[in-house]
Amino acid sequence: MKRSSIVSWGIVGALLLAVGVWGLAPAPADAQAKKKLRVVSIFQTPIEEPWDGAIHQALLKAQKELGFEYEWTEKVSGADFERVVREYAEKKYDLIMGDAFGQEQAARRVAKAYPKIKFLFGSGLGPARPNFGVFDNWIHEPAYLCGMIAGKLTKTNVLGVVGGHPVPEVNRLINAFKAGALEVNPKVKLKVAFIGSWFDPPKTKEAALAQIEAGADLLYAERYGVIDAAKDRGKLAFGNLLDQHDLAPDTVITGPVWDMHPLVKFAVESVRRGTFVAMDYAEWTMMQKGGAKLAPFYGWDKKLPKEIIEMVKKREQEILAGLFRVPVDESTPKSD
Amino acid sequence: MEILSVAFFIGLLAAMLRMATPLLFATMGELLTERAGVLNLGIEGTMLLGAMAGYLVAYKTGSLWLGLGGALLTGALLGLLMAFMAVTLGVSQHVSGLGITLLATGLSLYIYRMVIGSPSVPPSIRPFQILTIPVLAQLPVIGPILFRQYLLVWVALALVPLIWLLLFRTALGLKIRTVGENPKAAEVAGVSVYGIRYLCLIVGGALMALGGAFLSMAHFNMFLFGMVAGRGWISIALVVFGNWRPGKCLAGALFFGGLDALQLRLQAVGFQALPYQFFLVLPYILTIVALVSVSRRAAYPGSLLLPYKRGEA
C-alpha cells in the first residue's frame, strides 16, 4: 500500500511537471548580452485564443520591424499570474504586456513594486500611474458597419448574435452591431444568445442554429461556431476579431478586425524614447489609428448591391474623419 | 407563440440528439470501466486528445475514417495507460485518472502546435455531414428528428442496447460485472481480473475519445483548445445519475442535452421571463438534484475504486 501510494504520487508529480514545463516558455539565454529593448508578454490563455493571439501576432510583427527582444509565456493560471509577472519584472524587462482580466489587482500590485518597468495590459479597468497602461479591443466601429450591411441585406428582418459571456467588451460590439442595423432598417429584430463559456464551438453552433430556426438570416459570429452554423444552413455571417474569411469564403461577408500592431509599435517606441505614459490606450485600438477595421471583402463588394457598399464606405470615411461617432453602449443586450 | 410550434419541437429534439451524442459515447465508456471496478477520471483529457487526434489525422490524410481510427486508437492507448497504473500498479484511481487528464490535455495542445503551428485562424476540415435516410426522413415529426442526423448520432444511440446486451446477456458481461463487484470471487472462478479490467479500460477509453472526435469532426470542423468544455465530468455524473444502467444513462444524456438545447432556443425566441443564466445552470442544478435522489439507492459496483492485488488476502 505504502509503495503504491509513493508510486502514484510519483507518477502524478511527473505528469504535472511535464505539463508545467511545457506551459512556460524558455527563459532568455543570456540576459546581459547587449542593451536591446526587452519585451515580454504574459498570457492567461494559450495563444490560439483569438484575443491573446491578436496581441501576440502584433508583437511578432513589430519585433521584425523594430528589432527588440521578445519573450512570451502563455497558459499562466490565475494562481500563478502574480508570481510570473514578478519573475519577469525581477529580470528587468523594459516592457511587460499581457492580459490582466481577472487579475487586475495582482497586475497593478506588481507594477507598483517595479516603478521603472513599464506595464501595458489588456484590462477592463483603468490605468495606474506612473507605469501601468491599459488597452482593450474597441472594435465597435466596424461592428456598427457590419450591422449596417446586415440591416440592408436581411430578408426576414431578423439578425442573430451569439456571445460568450455578457461582459462590457462583448456587449458594446453587439449593441453597436444592432445600432448599425437599426440605423438603416428600423424593422430589424436582433436575437442574442450567450452560451456561458468562451470555448465551446459545438454549443455556440447550436445556439446559432436555434436563431436561424427562429428566423435569423444574418449572423454576427462573436465566437467560433456561428460561421459554421450559417454555412450549414446557407445563411451569411460576419466574423469577429480576426479576418475569418478562410473559415467559409462563401459565408463570411466581412467582420470587425482587431489590429494591435499600431498600439504595440507606439508602445515599444515610446518605451525606447522614455516617453511611455500610463494611460488608457483605447483609441489606439479604434479605427482612426488603424487598431480596428473591417476585414477585406474578398469579392463580396462586387457581389453585394452597390449602394450598400457605397453606404458603408461613406460611413467608414466619416468615422475616420471624426465626423461620425459610433455610440458606446455596454449594457447587456437582450433578444427582441 | 413560437415555443409551442411543431417546428420548434423538431428543432429542439434534433438538437437534443446532437448535443447528447458526445455525452453518450463518454458515458457508455465510463459505464464500462466502472462496471469493471475502475473509475476513470482520465475521461475529460481522453475526450480532448481524441478530438485532437481525430481532427489531426483527418486533416493530414484527408480521410475522416482514418481520423476516427486515430481517435479510437488514441483513446485505447490512454485506457491502456490508465489500466497499467490503476490495475497493474494498483495506484489510486483518482490520482492516476486526474494525472491522465492533465497529461492528455497538455499533450493535445503540444502535438497540435507541433503539427499545425499557431496560425491566427485554425485550419478546418470538411466534417461528417448530416445524412438523410430516404423515405424514413419524410415521416412527420419523427423523420427530421431521428433520420436526418450525423452517422455518429446513430452509432451512439445503437451503442446503448449493445452495451446493455454485452453487460447483461453475455458471459463476458457477467465476468465484467463480477470483476466489478467481487474480483476475488471472479479470480476463484477462473476469470482474469486484470484481463477484464484492461479490456474495459481500453474499450472505454476508445469510446470516450470517439465522443471527443464527434465534437471536432462532425458537430464542428476544427480543433480548439478547451472545446470539450467539461463534457467528460458531466458524463461521470451521468453514470451515477443512470445508476450504472445503460438505459438510464441514455435517459440522463438525453435529459442533459435536451435542457441545453432548450435553453439555447429559449434565448433565441427571446423568452425573458427568467434570465438566461438560469437556463445555463438548470441542467447542472437538476443533475445535482437527481444525483442526490438517486444516491440513496445507488447500486455502484462493489469493488469500485479498490485496487485488486492478485493473491493478496
Side-chain angles (χ1 to χ4, degrees):
Chain A
M1 193 62 201
K2 203 176 166 195
R3 194 180 62 107
S4 66
S5 77
I6 291 172
V7 171
S8 74
W9 286 110
I11 289 171
V12 168
L15 293 179
L16 281 172
L17 202 66
V19 174
V21 163
W22 172 79
L24 290 174
D30 49 338
Q32 299 157 334
K34 40 189 161 329
K35 276 206 88 181
K36 228 176 180 185
L37 190 80
R38 293 160 76 223
V39 182
V40 63
S41 46
I42 296 158
F43 301 122
Q44 298 185 53
T45 71
I47 50 162
E48 277 77 11
E49 198 280 322
W51 215 93
D52 282 341
I55 305 171
H56 178 63
Q57 297 294 341
L59 274 158
L60 287 177
K61 189 174 160 195
Q63 186 193 17
K64 275 188 202 139
E65 291 169 8
L66 305 174
F68 50 87
E69 211 176 279
Y70 175 50
E71 285 289 332
W72 49 282
T73 177
E74 61 182 327
K75 267 185 88 191
V76 176
S77 72
D80 282 337
F81 184 80
E82 182 166 348
R83 177 183 62 76
V84 173
V85 180
R86 248 174 223 285
E87 269 173 26
Y88 283 99
E90 277 296 324
K91 287 178 191 157
K92 296 193 170 57
Y93 274 79
D94 299 288
L95 173 63
I96 300 183
M97 291 187 64
D99 72 303
F101 290 96
Q103 298 297 327
E104 303 273 8
Q105 291 188 351
R108 284 164 182 78
R109 226 173 5 246
V110 182
K112 203 172 176 187
Y114 298 89
K116 285 189 181 147
I117 294 170
K118 309 302 178 199
F119 294 80
L120 181 58
F121 273 77
S123 159
L125 300 175
R129 285 171 173 236
N131 60 339
F132 190 85
V134 294
F135 62 88
D136 200 347
N137 64 332
W138 291 85
I139 57 173
H140 56 294
E141 291 159 332
Y144 185 93
L145 296 176
C146 292
M148 291 174 76
I149 300 175
K152 280 281 183 198
L153 278 183
T154 179
K155 293 193 179 73
T156 58
N157 287 331
V158 182
L159 311 178
V161 189
V162 183
H165 297 275
V167 295
E169 49 263 44
V170 173
N171 293 348
R172 65 179 175 244
L173 300 186
I174 299 176
N175 288 324
F177 179 78
K178 184 176 177 179
L182 282 175
E183 189 207 317
V184 300
N185 182 353
K187 281 184 283 187
V188 155
K189 302 266 182 255
L190 182 68
K191 305 280 182 198
V192 184
F194 293 102
I195 56 159
S197 153
W198 295 121
F199 267 123
D200 196 340
K203 195 163 171 177
T204 310
K205 183 178 173 184
E206 284 297 339
L209 289 175
Q211 292 179 338
I212 291 171
E213 284 167 17
D217 65 348
L218 280 121
L219 300 160
Y220 174 27
E222 203 276 315
R223 295 275 109 199
Y224 277 120
V226 175
I227 290 173
D228 199 40
K231 186 173 136 194
D232 278 6
R233 299 286 170 99
K235 308 292 179 196
L236 299 179
F238 301 91
N240 195 43
L241 265 184
L242 306 157
D243 178 358
Q244 293 174 325
H245 166 82
D246 290 347
L247 288 179
D250 296 324
T251 304
V252 180
I253 300 172
T254 175
V257 171
W258 183 29
D259 187 356
M260 271 291 285
H261 182 250
L263 173 54
V264 164
K265 200 173 161 198
F266 179 73
V268 168
E269 280 173 343
S270 57
V271 170
R272 195 171 266 170
R273 283 194 306 262
T275 57
F276 180 84
V277 183
M279 62 178 234
D280 185 344
Y281 286 87
E283 63 176 298
W284 284 89
T285 62
M286 290 166 50
M287 278 179 74
Q288 271 201 11
K289 293 241 187 335
K293 53 189 150 196
L294 271 185
F297 280 99
Y298 297 99
W300 277 98
D301 43 350
K302 306 278 184 303
K303 279 185 252 178
L304 299 183
K306 215 174 165 190
E307 70 268 17
I308 297 182
I309 297 298
E310 277 168 5
M311 171 193 77
V312 169
K313 295 267 182 219
K314 183 163 167 266
R315 181 51 48 84
E316 190 177 15
Q317 288 311 312
E318 285 168 355
I319 293 172
L320 291 173
L323 294 169
F324 183 84
R325 197 168 255 187
V326 174
V328 173
D329 174 2
E330 296 184 345
S331 63
T332 302
K334 289 208 166 98
S335 282
D336 290 316
Chain B
M1 193 64 187
E2 284 173 280
I3 297 180
L4 298 174
S5 72
V6 175
F8 181 87
F9 271 104
I10 290 174
L12 173 68
L13 294 179
M16 172 187 80
L17 288 180
R18 293 193 295 266
M19 296 184 89
T21 296
L23 301 176
L24 211 44
F25 279 120
T27 305
M28 289 301 127
E30 185 71 30
L31 174 69
L32 208 54
T33 70
E34 290 192 20
R35 273 291 183 172
V38 184
L39 173 76
N40 188 356
L41 293 181
I43 186 168
E44 180 84 5
T46 306
M47 288 181 81
L48 190 68
L49 198 57
M52 199 284 301
Y55 159 84
L56 204 59
V57 172
Y59 177 70
K60 278 289 163 193
T61 64
S63 161
L64 291 170
W65 298 105
L66 284 179
L68 278 190
L72 286 169
L73 186 66
T74 305
L77 284 174
L78 286 174
L80 185 67
L81 179 62
M82 178 71 192
F84 176 69
M85 292 201 284
V87 179
T88 304
L89 296 180
V91 171
S92 151
Q93 294 178 7
H94 287 117
V95 172
S96 45
L98 289 176
I100 284 185
T101 283
L102 287 172
L103 173 73
T105 306
L107 268 184
S108 60
L109 191 51
Y110 184 75
I111 297 171
Y112 178 86
R113 202 174 282 176
M114 238 168 33
V115 179
I116 305 277
S118 38
S120 55
V121 175
S124 46
I125 55 171
R126 187 180 146 76
F128 284 105
Q129 302 295 308
I130 287 186
L131 302 177
T132 304
I133 297 185
V135 187
L136 286 177
Q138 305 303 321
L139 291 171
V141 187
I142 198 131
I145 294 171
L146 263 183
F147 301 111
R148 202 173 292 159
Q149 282 291 4
Y150 296 106
L151 178 68
L152 287 172
V153 172
W154 295 322
V155 174
L157 289 173
L159 202 56
V160 178
L162 285 178
I163 295 273
W164 180 84
L165 280 174
L166 169 73
L167 283 176
F168 298 102
R169 288 293 180 274
T170 65
L172 179 60
L174 185 62
K175 286 179 188 169
I176 293 172
R177 286 184 292 133
T178 313
V179 165
E181 291 296 339
N182 189 339
K184 198 185 275 179
E187 189 89 52
V188 169
V191 177
S192 164
V193 176
Y194 283 21
I196 293 286
R197 287 191 169 171
Y198 262 84
L199 177 73
C200 287
L201 279 163
I202 290 170
V203 174
L207 290 177
M208 293 167 191
L210 197 55
F214 174 78
L215 294 172
S216 62
M217 301 177 64
H219 213 170
F220 196 53
N221 57 8
M222 60 170 83
F223 172 78
L224 290 175
F225 186 76
M227 74 185 302
V228 171
R231 286 176 176 84
W233 308 131
I234 291 166
S235 299
I236 295 222
L238 284 175
V239 174
V240 185
F241 178 95
N243 216 11
W244 292 270
R245 311 282 302 187
K248 286 184 181 168
C249 288
L250 168 69
L254 291 178
F255 168 74
F256 207 94
L259 272 178
D260 231 4
L262 177 67
Q263 64 91 0
L264 293 176
R265 273 169 175 69
L266 289 179
Q267 286 197 58
V269 297
F271 178 84
Q272 273 156 18
L274 290 163
Y276 84 94
Q277 286 93 342
F278 176 79
F279 295 103
L280 281 180
V281 298
L282 192 61
Y284 300 93
I285 291 176
L286 289 176
T287 302
I288 291 170
V289 170
L291 287 178
V292 169
S293 60
V294 162
S295 66
R296 287 160 180 251
R297 48 190 170 78
Y300 59 87
S303 73
L304 190 63
L305 295 177
L306 301 176
Y308 177 75
K309 279 281 165 205
R310 206 174 279 156
E312 268 181 26

